[in-house]
Amino acid sequence: MENVLDIKHLSMHFGGLKAVDQVSLTVKRREIVALIGPNGAGKTTLFNCITGIYEPTLGDIFISPPGGGQKRINGKKVNEITERGLARTFQNIRLFQNMSVLENVMIGRHCRAKAGILGAILKDKKTREEEQDIIERSYAILKKLGLDAYVNELAKNLPYGAQRRLEIARAMATDPFLLLLDEPAAGMNPQETRELDALIVRLREEENISILLIEHDMKLVMSLSDRISVMDYGQMIAEGEPAEIRQNSKVIKAYLGEDFHA
Amino acid sequence: MKHITALKNSLLISFWFMFLTFPIMVIRVNTIENVVEWRWMNMLYVGFGSFVLSFVWRYLISRKEAGVKQAAAADTPSKRLTERLLTDSAFYRPVQIMAAVFFLAFPLIFSTYQINIMTTALMYVMLGLGLNIVVGLAGLLDLGYVAFYAVGAYSYALLNHHFGLGFWAILPVGAILGALFGILLGFPVLRLRGDYLAIVTLGFGEIIRLILENWNEFSFGPSGIANIDRPGFFNIDLSLEQVTVYLYYLVIGLCLFTMVVVNRLKDSRIGRAWVALREDEIACQAMGIDKTKTKLTAFALGATWAGMAGVVFAAKTTFVNPASFTFMESAMFLSIVVLGGMGSITGVIIGAMILILTPEYLRAFSSYRMLLFGAVMVLMMVFRPQGIIAGVRRMYHFPVKQSEKGIGGS
């Protein structure tokens, strides 16, 4: 299968600190890959490199959008990368608090629309149609994620689990081929986590997208992912299917420490 | 016990104020007769006044906190009257029609003096709405907005002085020049936010004023430019009263134009991007919004209205000099936006009316103007930080069925 995301020997240095060190990672089409590792292993830094928030020190990131052709996206601006079809959520929820739920999703459609200042002022037919299209698509996404009851609610007034889902909805609105989820289950109760599991699988099936996620909830990771990559101290220490990772001594060591004798 | 503590606090406060005001309120040195007057009665007034005020203050604070708790405890937020006035068309239509009739009939009823004051107030409405784009929607604290106002005013003054160009020719030129200066300011401050942005824009406002004051060959320095033409009306000579009325309707027209444009921008793709930028810069970029473009359009479109208002200002007063464009003006524009309610068009209109008209009609208290102004601002920030009318987001309506709540619609 084709790699939609291909990271080759990527390094990110902050002064003398190697937050990400020679990491390689691939995500294939329609695959769910989990990135795990202890706190401070460099998972979120890797995410920030992929999405353009940081410019990596060394290495290459290639993406292959469905349209064909492989492109290097190092050092591209954040919004350009989103436009190319990579969308992300944040570890600490970063919704637009004082905008309505629907508007949050409509923002996601921004890069797929064209209306300019003149269009906004004149409200010509084209702009009105585009606006209507944005509203309808956004509402459809909300419905799909079970958020349609909150349409006009301000994002900050939503319950926690719904806020997490809204972040996913907002990311989905940008029409991505690869969705990057940074700890989507953080702070969720077991019931909500199970629902999230079903939701992620459903998104993959219905939308034909690949998913790369960072997660600490092992039950979720094991049941959900096709492949798992494990990071520790900025390095990739293991990669493989859930069953292999479960047995990997390096992974156990990273999580439980050197002195662990089972 | 609670009352005794309150009493103790108030006593403490009154003593503290008596001590603080002692040198200015009690002692007076009479240099003519070389005696020191001790005005002990003043100290008593200060003590009693602060004692009572501290009680009132504490009562209001406790009421406010109780209100907050109540709102948090209530299941569905109760719709207050102000909210209904804004969202329910049965409420706001009659108000709108009444306002429209009032403003249209204004010159027929009131004197030239009143019309002049109202024209000024309406100009501030325009300026407030323009600044509202930058501060209220895009969340970029701009303390140098007066610079664009000056650019508009001087572009009309200079082009009229040198080339004899008329008002209608310069109005769009002023708008475009305003926008260009907006972009000029926008570029260096792209990376700045909050306090840093405020300081740089403040500096920018001062730079423009200082250039106008000192570059004599270009702007005629502090003496300014006089005898600027009033707006023409199909080459008909108008008397002073007629010109005043004409200018009034002209400004009403421009105000309506501003309101329509700002209202449309607010709920458009561009307006949403501004609000998103205000809410969270990183998330906004991660959702595919070009930060640079969005910031620059906010600065440019905000400055456009200041440029236009500047042209109107020059045409109205027929005289411009740098003294009209001090930081005080910028502070005034910002106060209008903050007092009225950031992001709310109605709020800004009300804010401008209050802040511009009240000082005109309360001339008797003019020596206390700044004191009252400051007090009102402090009270506003404590008791209603969102402004007189808070900005509301647009509601979208769909045929929602309560039964079909998707997964986990908790």
Side-chain angles (χ1 to χ4, degrees):
Chain A
M1 246 192 300
E2 179 194 5
N3 291 335
V4 288
L5 176 72
D6 201 347
I7 300 173
K8 285 181 178 150
H9 310 294
L10 193 83
S11 296
M12 178 76 221
H13 300 172
F14 295 108
L17 177 80
K18 292 178 177 173
V20 175
D21 191 10
Q22 296 283 327
V23 166
S24 297
L25 177 80
T26 56
V27 179
K28 297 190 173 66
R29 199 169 295 292
R30 282 174 56 85
E31 195 178 32
I32 298 177
V33 176
L35 186 60
I36 63 169
N39 285 330
K43 307 179 297 286
T44 299
T45 308
L46 182 62
F47 256 42
N48 285 343
C49 288
I50 300 170
T51 52
I53 291 175
Y54 298 145
E55 193 179 340
T57 321
L58 296 165
D60 305 290
I61 307 166
F62 295 102
I63 56 165
S64 318
Q70 201 178 41
K71 287 192 191 81
R72 188 169 180 270
I73 55 164
N74 288 43
K76 287 258 183 294
K77 278 203 266 173
V78 181
N79 56 298
E80 287 170 350
I81 289 173
T82 308
E83 234 168 279
R84 270 153 217 235
L86 260 68
R88 73 170 290 180
T89 66
F90 293 90
Q91 184 177 357
N92 42 345
I93 299 175
R94 297 193 89 125
L95 289 170
F96 306 120
Q97 304 255 334
N98 291 309
M99 295 174 90
S100 72
V101 167
L102 185 73
E103 278 178 319
N104 265 278
V105 182
M106 285 166 81
I107 287 288
R109 295 298 308 164
H110 185 95
C111 60
R112 302 283 171 244
K114 282 194 275 301
I117 297 165
L118 217 58
I121 295 170
L122 298 175
K123 266 196 173 172
D124 55 318
K125 195 158 170 265
K126 219 174 102 198
T127 314
R128 282 202 310 269
E129 278 170 2
E130 189 185 85
E131 188 73 9
Q132 196 54 40
D133 179 59
I134 293 176
I135 294 171
E136 273 161 21
R137 274 168 185 262
S138 306
Y139 187 63
I141 292 169
L142 282 179
K143 222 165 179 179
K144 189 172 281 170
L145 296 201
L147 290 164
D148 50 323
Y150 300 116
V151 173
N152 285 318
E153 203 72 51
L154 288 187
K156 64 176 174 190
N157 296 337
L158 253 55
Y160 185 83
Q163 291 198 8
R164 284 252 171 238
R165 264 182 298 152
L166 180 54
E167 271 224 324
I168 299 177
R170 193 177 63 172
M172 286 307 297
T174 63
D175 275 348
F177 66 88
L178 174 64
L179 187 61
L180 300 130
L181 305 172
D182 197 347
E183 296 197 24
M188 283 187 168
N189 62 33
Q191 166 69 20
E192 285 172 324
T193 310
R194 270 197 301 281
E195 283 166 4
L196 181 76
D197 190 335
L199 173 69
I200 292 174
V201 172
R202 198 157 59 96
L203 280 180
R204 190 242 317 249
E205 299 308 323
E206 287 174 9
E207 310 292 327
N208 255 324
I209 55 171
S210 318
I211 291 164
L212 175 63
L213 77 158
I214 296 175
E215 190 47 71
H216 282 302
D217 188 318
M218 282 307 138
K219 231 173 100 190
L220 179 72
V221 167
M222 291 298 166
S223 78
L224 194 62
S225 30
D226 301 317
R227 273 188 308 126
I228 298 176
S229 294
V230 190
M231 279 180 84
D232 193 22
Y233 292 113
Q235 287 171 330
M236 199 62 87
I237 57 167
E239 204 178 356
E241 287 177 11
E244 298 170 41
I245 295 297
R246 216 192 292 259
Q247 309 299 330
N248 192 309
S249 60
K250 267 190 186 167
V251 177
I252 296 169
K253 216 183 264 173
Y255 267 92
L256 300 174
E258 295 277 356
D259 296 324
F260 181 75
H261 300 288
Chain B
M1 211 44 224
K2 209 176 129 198
H3 296 291
I4 291 172
T5 345
L7 217 65
K8 236 200 273 174
N9 278 341
S10 292
L11 265 177
L12 218 70
I13 284 166
S14 82
F15 275 125
W16 178 239
F17 268 85
M18 281 193 274
F19 173 71
L20 274 184
T21 54
F22 177 77
I24 46 168
M25 296 301 287
V26 179
I27 308 170
R28 179 154 67 185
V29 180
N30 192 330
T31 46
I32 297 165
E33 293 172 23
N34 277 332
V35 285
V36 178
E37 288 173 43
W38 298 88
R39 299 170 297 172
W40 294 109
M41 272 320 274
N42 278 355
M43 187 182 220
L44 225 82
Y45 296 144
V46 168
F48 184 71
S50 50
F51 186 78
V52 172
L53 277 180
S54 87
F55 259 104
V56 173
W57 179 259
R58 212 166 303 120
Y59 170 70
L60 287 175
I61 290 273
S62 70
R63 258 197 57 176
K64 185 195 162 212
E65 273 164 6
V68 169
K69 265 183 210 150
Q70 225 171 30
D75 214 1
T76 47
S78 56
K79 278 211 163 186
R80 285 199 306 279
L81 187 69
T82 45
E83 225 170 292
R84 285 183 75 174
L85 273 176
L86 289 170
T87 50
D88 198 342
S89 70
F91 275 86
Y92 71 73
R93 283 272 173 245
V95 176
Q96 265 180 344
I97 290 165
M98 261 155 61
V101 169
F102 174 76
F103 280 112
L104 283 179
F106 195 86
L108 309 175
I109 307 164
F110 293 98
S111 68
T112 308
Y113 170 68
Q114 310 279 2
I115 299 168
N116 250 323
I117 294 173
M118 195 46 109
T119 312
T120 311
L122 288 168
M123 270 165 52
Y124 276 84
V125 168
M126 258 176 87
L127 286 155
L129 287 172
L131 186 62
N132 195 20
I133 295 178
V134 187
V135 178
L137 295 179
L140 305 161
L141 184 53
D142 186 350
L143 290 179
Y145 195 63
V146 75
F148 311 122
Y149 188 39
V151 165
Y154 267 85
S155 58
Y156 181 46
L158 288 169
L159 288 171
N160 185 264
H161 181 86
H162 292 301
F163 307 107
L165 291 172
F167 174 82
W168 290 105
I170 303 300
L171 191 64
V173 174
I176 291 164
L177 275 175
L180 281 179
F181 272 80
I183 293 170
L184 197 73
L185 168 66
F187 266 114
V189 300
L190 275 175
R191 289 165 174 279
L192 303 179
R193 265 192 277 195
D195 317 0
Y196 306 100
L197 178 69
I199 290 166
V200 175
T201 51
L202 180 84
F204 181 77
E206 285 300 288
I207 288 169
I208 296 281
R209 188 179 64 82
L210 287 171
I211 288 175
L212 292 176
E213 205 153 70
N214 292 300
W215 192 1
N216 287 333
E217 296 77 28
F218 171 71
S219 66
F220 302 99
S223 51
I225 302 162
N227 295 323
I228 303 164
D229 287 339
R230 290 199 165 84
F233 184 67
F234 302 110
N235 291 327
I236 303 168
D237 278 327
L238 297 170
S239 69
L240 192 61
E241 279 99 72
Q242 283 169 323
V243 165
T244 313
V245 175
Y246 174 49
L247 254 170
Y248 174 83
Y249 282 118
L250 197 152
V251 175
I252 283 271
L254 282 174
C255 261
L256 278 177
F257 177 55
T258 316
M259 275 154 67
V260 169
V261 170
V262 174
N263 196 30
R264 287 188 167 186
L265 280 172
K266 201 174 93 166
D267 289 317
S268 72
R269 173 173 172 266
I270 308 281
R272 275 196 305 273
W274 287 336
V275 180
L277 189 75
R278 178 190 76 192
E279 293 293 312
D280 192 323
E281 230 179 88
I282 289 175
C284 163
Q285 283 175 285
M287 287 305 114
I289 291 170
D290 189 339
K291 186 177 95 176
T292 312
K293 229 163 131 188
T294 309
K295 266 195 184 175
L296 287 181
T297 48
F299 270 120
L301 278 172
T304 305
W305 304 111
M308 266 163 62
V311 175
V312 176
F313 172 78
K316 177 174 174 285
T317 55
T318 70
F319 170 72
V320 291
N321 77 339
S324 310
F325 308 106
T326 55
F327 171 67
M328 200 48 224
E329 288 295 304
S330 282
M332 202 64 178
F333 304 149
L334 194 66
S335 307
I336 288 171
V337 176
V338 174
L339 186 86
M342 285 207 250
S344 155
I345 291 175
T346 326
V348 169
I349 295 168
I350 295 172
M353 291 292 161
I354 292 175
L355 284 186
I356 305 304
L357 294 183
T358 349
E360 295 293 341
Y361 292 114
L362 295 179
R363 283 253 175 236
F365 303 97
S366 60
S367 18
Y368 302 103
R369 188 179 156 189
M370 278 301 139
L371 192 72
L372 287 172
F373 186 74
V376 167
M377 279 324 239
V378 170
L379 288 175
M380 233 8 230
M381 286 310 102
V382 172
F383 293 105
R384 207 171 157 75
Q386 71 272 42
I388 295 170
I389 292 172
V392 263
R393 297 308 307 166
R394 192 183 148 190
M395 307 281 261
Y396 296 86
H397 296 289
F398 301 94
V400 185
K401 287 178 214 138
Q402 279 302 314
S403 57
E404 49 170 61
K405 274 187 178 181
I407 40 164
S410 45

